[in-house]
Amino acid sequence: TLADGVSAYKTAPKFSATKVEDNISVDEVSLFVKKRASDASAQKVSIPLKDGAFTDVQPVFTATDGSQDGVYTYWLEVTDQAGNVISTAADAKTFTYDTTKPEITIGTLTNTDPATGTTYKKVSVPITVNDTNIALDKIVVKDNEVVVANNDSRLSWTQTATGYEGTYTTSTQDITLDGNHRITVDARDNATNAAEQKSITFNLDQTAPVINAKIGETDIKNGDEKHVTGTPDFAFTIDS
């Protein structure tokens, strides 16, 4: 069994074995590890017996560039002093070796109604997280440092062959505060590799400007009818 009880690792996992029979030739107790569907032969690791118990062992993984990443099959073979061979190959287990960080991409703002520059009435932020060894609850989206739950109506996700694609849409909020928004995305895969955080900033403005009009010192409202003599003195101000 895997010594620490998890299924994905960014360093070589430790394996533990339990001695269930005293009549064992310890020279013939071995762990076999093989990359599923690619390795021609399995890596063999002898499991030594010390003080009446087996010592935890690790297969050898030297690459940290992703070249050894993948799903591995492992099994044990034991030969006792009578020459009986027991193999668990028919019931082999698997684990995932993963040294690659998830990759986050924030795309161009879509579904926008820009007023000027980076100011918008509504915004949809496209997000892509590439990592085949990641769960959705390991992806964290924040709006101005406030976590957006994955079941929030503003956030939608689709699982793809390479990870997840999502969209964060501000226009579906019940209450939207105008002002600057900084969207950040973090991700950590099942082997605890952490992605480089990505972010985007924009200004949200859903408040229509208000035009104030006066004739002299008298306010004019939409639809008002005023009668003046002489040349009227109009004044206008705009509250944005």
Side-chain angles (χ1 to χ4, degrees):
T1 59
L2 293 171
D4 47 3
V6 297
S7 59
Y9 304 83
K10 63 180 179 181
T11 57
K14 289 183 179 180
F15 290 81
S16 63
T18 302
K19 186 178 181 182
V20 295
E21 181 184 340
D22 291 332
N23 186 32
I24 290 180
S25 171
V26 295
D27 292 336
E28 298 297 332
V29 180
S30 300
L31 167 73
F32 290 85
V33 178
K34 179 179 180 180
K35 192 172 184 179
R36 193 164 61 185
S38 64
D39 286 353
S41 59
Q43 182 182 158
K44 180 179 178 181
V45 182
S46 295
I47 303 178
L49 187 67
K50 181 179 180 181
D51 298 328
F54 290 114
T55 302
D56 290 350
V57 296
Q58 292 175 277
V60 178
F61 292 109
T62 56
T64 58
D65 59 358
S67 60
Q68 287 185 296
D69 288 6
V71 178
Y72 286 78
T73 299
Y74 67 94
W75 66 94
L76 284 176
E77 286 189 4
V78 180
T79 303
D80 66 15
Q81 292 177 350
N84 300 304
V85 178
I86 301 172
S87 174
T88 64
D91 189 31
K93 308 298 183 183
T94 62
F95 69 90
T96 299
Y97 181 64
D98 181 4
T99 63
T100 305
K101 298 178 181 180
E103 183 179 346
I104 300 170
T105 302
I106 297 180
T108 303
L109 299 180
T110 60
N111 192 29
T112 58
D113 189 358
T116 178
T118 56
T119 298
Y120 303 89
K121 285 175 61 177
K122 59 182 179 180
V123 173
S124 290
V125 183
I127 303 165
T128 301
V129 180
N130 284 328
D131 194 306
T132 57
N133 182 38
I134 194 169
L136 186 56
D137 62 0
K138 298 297 193 301
I139 303 172
V140 179
V141 178
K142 293 182 181 180
D143 185 347
N144 288 342
E145 298 303 317
V146 177
V147 175
V148 182
N150 282 323
N151 61 356
D152 192 303
S153 61
R154 296 170 292 173
L155 189 58
S156 62
W157 291 106
T158 301
Q159 189 169 13
T160 68
T162 58
Y164 286 91
E165 291 182 354
T167 303
Y168 175 66
T169 306
T170 63
S171 60
T172 60
Q173 297 182 64
D174 294 330
I175 300 175
T176 301
L177 295 178
D178 289 357
N180 289 324
H181 287 254
R182 181 172 183 262
I183 309 302
T184 59
V185 184
D186 293 277
R188 187 181 298 271
D189 66 21
N190 295 331
T192 72
N193 298 299
E196 178 184 349
Q197 184 186 83
K198 294 298 176 67
S199 66
I200 192 168
T201 302
F202 56 86
N203 189 60
L204 199 63
D205 183 1
Q206 298 188 97
T207 303
V210 176
I211 301 175
N212 304 301
K214 286 186 175 184
I215 296 179
E217 297 300 321
T218 303
D219 290 331
I220 303 175
K221 296 180 179 180
N222 188 34
D224 281 355
E225 183 176 331
K226 301 293 184 181
H227 298 276
V228 297
T229 58
T231 302
D233 183 13
F234 288 101
F236 298 94
T237 59
I238 299 176
D239 296 333
S240 61

